[in-house]
Amino acid sequence: MPLYEHVFIARQDLSNTQAEGLIEHFGTVLSDNGGQVLDTEYWGIKTMAYKINKNRKGHYAFMRTDSPANAVQEMERLMRLHDDVMRVLTIKVEAHEDGPSVQMQKRDDRDRGDRRDRR
């Protein structure tokens, strides 16, 4: 089955448990349609670059899945209909990276390859 990565933004006035409940809800939608959730991450509340639906912040969530295309389409359809979800991004990938996503890594652990020495 194809591998996908999903990021969605939920409204800022939800509690952390409600936002994490959305991850579980959409994971069950995938599993009911023959897919499998491999990994989930809750990134927390982050400030957005511009307002979306009069919200300046949002709960960010990330999912790695192994699902057929029809399961992903159904999950995206339900996300668009859900009042608490503001934005959805789904990307098809060749392989999932091991370990946590870049957002969950410590700032000093990230690769700073092309930055020059400022001294």
Side-chain angles (χ1 to χ4, degrees):
M1 283 189 278
L3 302 174
Y4 294 95
E5 292 182 352
H6 313 275
V7 177
F8 68 90
I9 306 172
R11 291 183 309 131
Q12 68 183 357
D13 55 345
L14 297 176
S15 68
N16 291 349
T17 55
Q18 288 173 322
E20 291 173 358
L22 286 175
I23 299 171
E24 294 174 13
H25 171 70
F26 293 122
T28 56
V29 169
L30 279 177
S31 61
D32 290 346
N33 290 304
Q36 179 182 3
V37 177
L38 303 175
D39 186 27
T40 61
E41 293 177 358
Y42 172 66
W43 291 347
I45 296 178
K46 297 195 175 288
T47 304
M48 296 181 280
Y50 56 89
K51 287 185 180 181
I52 300 174
N53 299 338
K54 299 182 182 177
N55 290 307
R56 191 55 93 171
K57 296 182 179 185
H59 291 273
Y60 281 69
F62 175 73
M63 299 168 59
R64 290 184 179 129
T65 63
D66 183 9
S67 305
N70 61 352
V72 172
Q73 288 174 347
E74 178 64 16
M75 183 189 72
E76 284 183 338
R77 184 184 74 81
L78 292 175
M79 281 183 172
R80 285 189 200 100
L81 293 174
H82 205 284
D83 291 335
D84 293 334
V85 178
M86 295 188 295
R87 288 287 189 273
V88 179
L89 174 68
T90 299
I91 299 173
K92 186 176 180 180
V93 295
E94 295 296 320
H96 290 299
E97 294 181 10
D98 293 335
S101 65
V102 175
Q103 287 289 328
M104 295 299 287
Q105 294 173 2
K106 290 183 185 177
R107 185 177 188 104
D108 49 330
D109 291 346
R110 294 182 192 160
D111 183 32
R112 296 178 177 231
D114 27 330
R115 292 191 68 174
R116 299 183 330 228
D117 189 17
R118 294 187 177 185
R119 291 181 223 173

